[in-house]
Amino acid sequence: MGRHSCCVKQKLRKGLWSPEEDEKLFNYITRFGVGCWSSVPKLAGLQRCGKSCRLRWINYLRPDLKRGMFSQQEEDLIISLHEVLGNRWAQIAAQLPGRTDNEIKNFWNSCLKKKLLKQGIDPNTHKPLIEDDVKEEKKSTETTTPMQAPSSKGPTFASSHGSTFLVNDYDGGLTEASREIFMSKPEILDPLSSYYDFPMGVVAQSGFNLPVSQYQTSLKASDHQGQFVPNISSYVFSSMPSLTNSDHGNVSVTEFSDNNSASKMCSLFMNNDQVKESSSNSSNVSTIYHMMENAAGFSSWEGENKFDPLFQFQINGIKSEELIKTSSWEEGELQQAHNSIDFTSFPLTSLSEDLTGANFDVFQHI
DNA sequence: AACTTTATCAACCGCCACGAT
DNA sequence: TATCGTGGCGGTTGATAAAGT
């Protein structure tokens, strides 16, 4: 049979992640950044393979994940992009900030495919289905094709964060422009650009649909020199596998709006009763971290009541050998991490430079 | 209430590409 | 050139919740 997985070979843990594991991984990555995944489990004290850690971070722990229901715009964009890109979920995800390829893939397979079929559209070809096809499709909805034939139902536009691109021309052919945009130059579409459209400093609105997850986060945009500023406003680690939206309840946001975006303070208050309820409903709840942030803010975890210097190095994107030297890492590991940290893959790296002096406070540990 | 079916989604598997040696 | 380690990707599985009977 096939190869043994790395987890089997090394007798590592598999399956669902515990809140403790999440915390360890999150702690590690936020402090030291994303470097060599294969060394992460060892350094973070996890009995997992590097691949598993990577996946957990990308699909679940990353602070810039949007979570929650897909909006109609997102849904439309996914369909448009799928028409062009086929099952290239990673490329599709690159156009939807805060969404993971896994999430989009699941959404496609569980919802969008069926939706299109209901509308009489072949989810593989995006062409109208004839009667027999509908029956056939319903029998085998799981079959997919890598690259779809162009649509013949007229021009198709894919909207990506304020910009709309012609994907198919009237003949149903994929336009050269769209090929260029979606396939050769994916970076043209700033995956974070849609956040620029968000109201300043507004993290969440009342009734905001928080995800069915152990971990929640929200983002805000900043017009700060056009740079994206992630807003880590709330973290909840628990072992509850799926808190419902209503479990998280209403989230209220207060915006302090002065002219300095760096000083904008967003405060997020969770209803105390809801917090209590969430906690008491699960005896497994191990940790609830509730963080608030200032405009540049990010906080270290409870127990380290100071901002970690290496993290500061990372999030500010400033080379600082001095800061690194203060880390407790072994010399070799440090150097390796220093060399291997992928700043572009970490969402906090694009903080604008004028935020470098910002304070990183420890917020509230519930 | 008990059981079955369906839907959802986190996580794993296996393959591939790429860089280092 | 061959081999190995690693990261990334898409397909698939399996656990769980929700809905249906």
Side-chain angles (χ1 to χ4, degrees):
Chain A
M1 281 295 283
R3 304 180 301 187
H4 285 203
S5 74
C6 53
C7 299
V8 171
K9 273 190 283 188
Q10 298 168 34
K11 292 179 183 173
L12 297 172
R13 257 181 67 84
K14 287 171 72 176
L16 294 176
W17 281 63
S18 68
E20 290 80 13
E21 288 178 305
D22 279 345
E23 194 181 328
K24 280 182 182 176
L25 181 60
F26 187 89
N27 252 337
Y28 177 83
I29 300 298
T30 51
R31 290 183 67 195
F32 302 118
V34 175
C36 176
W37 282 111
S38 59
S39 63
V40 164
K42 187 184 166 191
L43 296 172
L46 291 161
Q47 297 292 107
R48 296 271 180 175
C49 70
K51 256 186 163 179
S52 185
C53 293
R54 177 184 160 271
L55 209 66
R56 186 63 178 173
W57 174 258
I58 288 171
N59 287 338
Y60 205 80
L61 294 175
R62 256 168 50 194
D64 63 335
L65 287 180
K66 193 183 280 181
R67 318 296 306 219
M69 301 285 287
F70 281 84
S71 67
Q72 187 58 50
Q73 289 98 319
E74 286 178 311
E75 199 177 308
D76 295 341
L77 183 57
I78 291 169
I79 293 169
S80 298
L81 289 168
H82 186 271
E83 188 171 2
V84 179
L85 298 167
N87 293 355
R88 290 174 179 146
W89 305 116
Q91 286 185 43
I92 293 172
Q95 311 307 327
L96 285 114
R99 301 295 187 182
T100 69
D101 53 354
N102 210 32
E103 198 179 5
I104 293 168
K105 183 169 56 184
N106 283 333
F107 182 54
W108 176 265
N109 287 326
S110 62
C111 297
L112 289 184
K113 263 174 130 177
K114 289 167 194 166
K115 215 172 209 178
L116 288 177
L117 281 171
K118 268 188 180 176
Q119 294 169 4
I121 297 168
D122 185 340
N124 298 325
T125 63
H126 293 260
K127 287 178 180 172
L129 282 168
I130 57 172
E131 285 288 316
D132 291 344
D133 290 341
V134 177
K135 289 173 190 168
E136 198 62 35
E137 272 300 324
K138 280 178 180 171
K139 279 182 189 171
S140 55
T141 51
E142 64 272 5
T143 55
T144 54
T145 53
M147 191 64 187
Q148 312 306 333
S151 163
S152 58
K153 61 183 187 301
T156 306
F157 296 89
S159 169
S160 182
H161 328 314
S163 303
T164 303
F165 302 95
L166 178 62
V167 172
N168 286 331
D169 57 25
Y170 279 93
D171 298 325
L174 184 66
T175 65
E176 284 308 311
S178 60
R179 274 185 213 282
E180 181 76 15
I181 289 163
F182 287 111
M183 307 189 73
S184 0
K185 295 271 185 189
E187 68 275 15
I188 289 174
L189 303 177
D190 178 358
L192 301 174
S193 63
S194 72
Y195 291 107
Y196 306 157
D197 299 330
F198 285 13
M200 274 293 300
V202 173
V203 179
Q205 296 169 346
S206 183
F208 183 69
N209 263 347
L210 288 167
V212 284
S213 64
Q214 305 151 342
Y215 168 88
Q216 62 190 56
T217 181
S218 57
L219 298 169
K220 75 161 188 178
S222 169
D223 61 356
H224 226 73
Q225 297 169 355
Q227 296 201 31
F228 175 71
V229 180
N231 178 341
I232 316 291
S233 58
S234 174
Y235 290 82
V236 175
F237 280 105
S238 83
S239 60
M240 295 171 71
S242 59
L243 293 172
T244 63
N245 291 346
S246 59
D247 286 331
H248 295 295
N250 293 328
V251 176
S252 64
V253 174
T254 304
E255 181 183 1
F256 297 83
S257 53
D258 58 28
N259 289 331
N260 180 0
S261 62
S263 68
K264 278 184 186 294
M265 174 79 81
C266 298
S267 55
L268 185 149
F269 304 100
M270 284 187 76
N271 182 311
N272 282 343
D273 292 333
Q274 285 159 346
V275 173
K276 280 179 204 160
E277 189 184 344
S278 294
S279 303
S280 60
N281 279 353
S282 169
S283 59
N284 294 330
V285 171
S286 66
T287 316
I288 297 176
Y289 286 99
H290 183 199
M291 295 172 159
M292 296 159 61
E293 62 99 46
N294 59 27
F298 194 82
S299 66
S300 61
W301 292 92
E302 189 273 336
E304 301 168 41
N305 290 339
K306 59 178 173 43
F307 176 60
D308 183 84
L310 187 59
F311 187 34
Q312 184 175 20
F313 159 88
Q314 183 192 350
I315 69 164
N316 292 331
I318 297 168
K319 281 193 173 181
S320 172
E321 301 300 332
E322 290 307 310
L323 289 171
I324 284 179
K325 281 174 188 169
T326 64
S327 163
S328 60
W329 277 26
E330 297 291 330
E331 187 84 22
E333 291 171 342
L334 251 180
Q335 194 55 48
Q336 185 193 0
H338 184 196
N339 293 337
S340 60
I341 288 171
D342 179 8
F343 294 96
T344 62
S345 66
F346 193 74
L348 300 180
T349 56
S350 56
L351 288 169
S352 63
E353 285 189 9
D354 61 346
L355 301 178
T356 54
N359 293 323
F360 290 78
D361 301 321
V362 175
F363 296 110
Q364 195 175 348
H365 180 205
I366 300 170

